[in-house]
Amino acid sequence: MDVVIAPEDELGEIVADEIATLFAARPDAVLGLATGSSPLRIYDAVAARVAQGRLSLARARGFMLDEYVGLAPGHPCRYSTVIDQDFVSRVDFAPGAVLGPDGDADDLDAACADYEEAIRAAGGVDLQILGIGTDGHIAFNEPGSSLASRTRVKTLTAQTREDNARFFDGDVDTVPRHCLTQGLGTIMEARRIVLVATGDAKAEAVAQLVEGAVSARWPATVLQHHRRVMVLVDEAAASSLELADYYRDTRTHRHLVS
Ligand code: GLP
């Protein structure tokens, strides 16, 4: 794992550099897109580069991680609406280039299977952007998720519904109880993964992710088995890392490999 501890306002640019490098080599690359507040700084940085003509996503494809069950298309909290506002409408994706699992489908299991097939048909995800929940979930893979799981229906924890109530006018009762989410096994197939976390509420989850034992109790720990993961955190999110000084040192004395 490449652990980068940097000021919050630098995290977006660091990931935008990675994305720019990817698209310079492969203009039709496939991005994995996360919702939530953590990736916003990345989307801002990428949107700025697209506006300046320094980067184009015109040939890119995008796959979202997850979606609430039961929110109709256009619902302001539906993740497809959120990602459109936060990112897709601000860059130059071709129409229909970004897909998400359909949490409003009549047959949710079929929607999950179709989504897995769509990712496969696109050749898989080149670079997956992730946030992390305070309980260590990635996408909506709550504690107890199989480390080999695929896209499926999950029940959200009370903690996640409380954390996300801020997007539902603070009313936890209106946060759906169920979601569709890419599985941990699905996410692990991305060729490259970049996870961003800020703030002290994420410190324990980040410490488990980087230094804890791999366990379904902290689902993000599965990423320890991935060969190309970058974990970007600010000082607050890094505050429970035992080896923080070592991670800082590795960045200062970087051994560049091709
Ligand atoms: C939600 C999303 C996750 C996200 C997490 C953290 O539960 N399903 O993909 O990583 O929230 O969100 P935030 O970045 O807003 O803290």
Side-chain angles (χ1 to χ4, degrees):
M1 269 184 184
D2 189 9
V3 181
V4 175
I5 304 171
E8 185 181 352
D9 59 3
E10 290 178 18
L11 301 179
E13 292 296 334
I14 294 170
V15 181
D17 283 345
E18 300 290 329
I19 292 173
T21 303
L22 170 67
F23 280 92
R26 214 179 133 198
D28 60 350
V30 179
L31 285 178
L33 303 174
T35 42
S37 31
S38 306
L40 293 181
R41 44 188 71 78
I42 302 171
Y43 298 150
D44 288 346
V46 170
R49 289 176 195 221
V50 171
Q52 293 157 3
R54 296 161 57 203
L55 172 63
S56 174
L57 303 181
R59 294 176 55 198
R61 305 279 311 268
F63 287 94
M64 296 169 56
L65 284 170
D66 46 13
E67 184 58 89
Y68 291 111
V69 166
L71 302 187
H75 188 291
C77 297
R78 186 170 153 118
Y79 275 172
S80 59
T81 311
V82 173
I83 203 74
D84 197 48
Q85 272 169 10
D86 289 349
F87 188 48
V88 177
S89 64
R90 302 169 61 202
V91 293
D92 59 345
F93 278 116
V98 175
L99 297 177
D102 183 4
D104 200 37
D106 290 333
D107 184 339
L108 293 172
D109 291 337
C112 293
D114 290 350
Y115 196 58
E116 287 273 335
E117 182 48 36
I119 297 172
R120 228 183 334 266
V125 170
D126 291 298
L127 189 150
Q128 175 67 56
I129 296 166
L130 290 179
I132 187 169
T134 56
D135 63 1
H137 71 245
I138 51 175
F140 268 138
N141 291 282
E142 297 285 30
S145 290
S146 159
L147 302 185
S149 49
R150 311 300 306 187
T151 304
R152 66 213 185 288
V153 182
K154 283 293 286 182
T155 303
L156 297 173
T157 63
Q159 176 72 59
T160 296
R161 293 179 68 234
E162 273 163 36
D163 287 349
N164 290 0
R166 67 188 193 280
F167 299 113
F168 291 78
D169 294 326
D171 182 1
V172 72
D173 293 333
T174 60
V175 181
R177 288 188 180 276
H178 300 101
C179 64
L180 304 188
T181 181
Q182 283 191 36
L184 295 172
T186 318
I187 293 168
M188 287 290 284
E189 286 171 5
R191 287 181 269 283
R192 181 107 197 268
I193 295 179
V194 173
L195 183 146
V196 182
T198 57
D200 50 17
K202 302 289 174 71
E204 185 180 13
V206 166
Q208 293 289 343
L209 154 65
V210 177
E211 297 173 342
V214 175
S215 155
R217 174 64 185 83
W218 294 93
T221 57
V222 73
L223 298 178
Q224 293 178 25
H225 283 292
H226 196 288
R227 294 175 63 234
R228 297 190 73 203
V229 178
M230 186 188 268
V231 176
L232 295 113
V233 287
D234 68 353
E235 289 291 342
S239 59
S240 296
L241 288 170
E242 281 179 26
L243 303 180
D245 287 342
Y246 171 63
Y247 309 134
R248 288 192 191 91
D249 208 40
T250 55
R251 192 151 176 80
T252 310
H253 305 286
R254 183 157 285 257
H255 173 66
L256 292 173
V257 287
S258 56

